[in-house]
Amino acid sequence: MRHASLLHAFAKAGLFTVLFLGSGLISVAYAANADDALAVSVDDFKYRDTSNEPTDQTAVHEKRLRAFMTALRDDVTADRRFELVPSSCGPNCPTDGPALRDRLRAASQAGAQILIIGGFHKMSTLVQFAQTVAIDTTSQRVVFRKYFQFRGDNDEAWQRAERFVSEEVRDRLLESRSHQ
C-alpha cells in the first residue's frame, strides 16, 4: 500500500507519465564505435514538496536543485565517455505528452542521443525521492529509469545525493550501451 501511495504522489507530480514511452532496459542505437562519446542532454529536474512543513522552503529548494543540476552536468562534462549537449528546455520543461516528444526531437536535432529528465519529491522533513529517466532521442524509448531515496534536506545531503545519482546515471548509460 505504501508503494501505491508513492506512485500516486509521483503521478500527481507529473513524473510517471513519461514511463509510457517504453519500459525496461532497451538496446539503443548508439554510435558505432564504442570509444565514441555518448551525446547526452540533461533537462532541469522538477521539484515537488508535499512535506507540509510550516516554513516555506521554496527558495532554498530552488537553489539546491540548481546546484544539483549544475553538478550533474559538470559530472557528465568531466567524464570523457560522454559529451554534454546543452538542453533546449528551460526550468519549466513538461515531463509528458506532445511537448516531451518535441523536446526529444529538439535534443536529437542538437546532437543528443540521450535525454535525461527527472524530478524530486519531498515526502517529509527527512525523506526525499528522486526519479531519473534516460530516453533515446531517436526511438523515443526509455533506456532506463531509476528511483532514488535520500535522507536530509541540507546542502550536504543534496551533494551526496548528486554524487550518487550522477554515478548511477553514467554507469547505467554505459551498461545499456554495452548491451547493444
Side-chain angles (χ1 to χ4, degrees):
M1 188 56 108
R2 180 170 180 255
H3 292 292
S5 65
L6 292 176
L7 292 175
H8 178 71
F10 274 146
K12 287 185 82 171
L15 298 175
F16 277 97
T17 51
V18 72
L19 300 180
F20 292 109
L21 291 172
S23 63
L25 190 61
I26 307 296
S27 293
V28 180
Y30 293 126
N33 183 349
D35 292 332
D36 291 340
L38 180 61
V40 177
S41 184
V42 182
D43 282 354
D44 286 341
F45 288 12
K46 303 286 185 195
Y47 191 84
R48 183 163 187 243
D49 183 351
T50 60
S51 65
N52 293 319
E53 292 178 309
T55 306
D56 181 1
Q57 299 180 46
T58 303
V60 172
H61 289 148
E62 287 174 0
K63 178 183 171 205
R64 288 183 179 140
L65 182 59
R66 279 192 309 272
F68 180 97
M69 297 311 304
T70 298
L72 181 60
R73 289 183 181 108
D74 287 349
D75 288 348
V76 170
T77 301
D79 190 328
R80 61 187 159 100
R81 301 170 296 180
F82 301 96
E83 172 191 351
L84 182 66
V85 176
S87 174
S88 64
C89 195
N92 294 315
C93 296
T95 56
D96 63 351
L100 178 57
R101 285 190 290 277
D102 292 342
R103 286 177 32 219
L104 287 164
R105 191 175 314 107
S108 179
Q109 290 171 349
Q113 297 163 288
I114 299 292
L115 176 65
I116 305 289
I117 63 173
F120 288 89
H121 184 196
K122 183 174 181 179
M123 296 288 291
S124 69
T125 301
L126 293 176
V127 178
Q128 298 192 70
F129 296 96
Q131 175 193 25
T132 304
V133 181
I135 307 168
D136 180 308
T137 60
T138 303
S139 68
Q140 298 190 358
R141 307 268 297 175
V142 172
V143 176
F144 75 85
R145 67 180 151 274
K146 180 111 178 164
Y147 305 96
F148 304 92
Q149 177 182 8
F150 68 100
R151 303 229 182 260
D153 191 10
N154 58 34
D155 291 342
E156 182 182 350
W158 277 79
Q159 290 164 3
R160 277 194 318 268
E162 186 283 326
R163 286 189 300 269
F164 185 77
V165 168
S166 173
E167 186 175 315
E168 285 288 311
V169 165
R170 289 178 288 137
D171 287 350
R172 292 291 302 269
L173 285 173
L174 294 172
E175 177 183 302
S176 61
R177 185 179 198 184
S178 70
H179 285 105
Q180 345 179 16

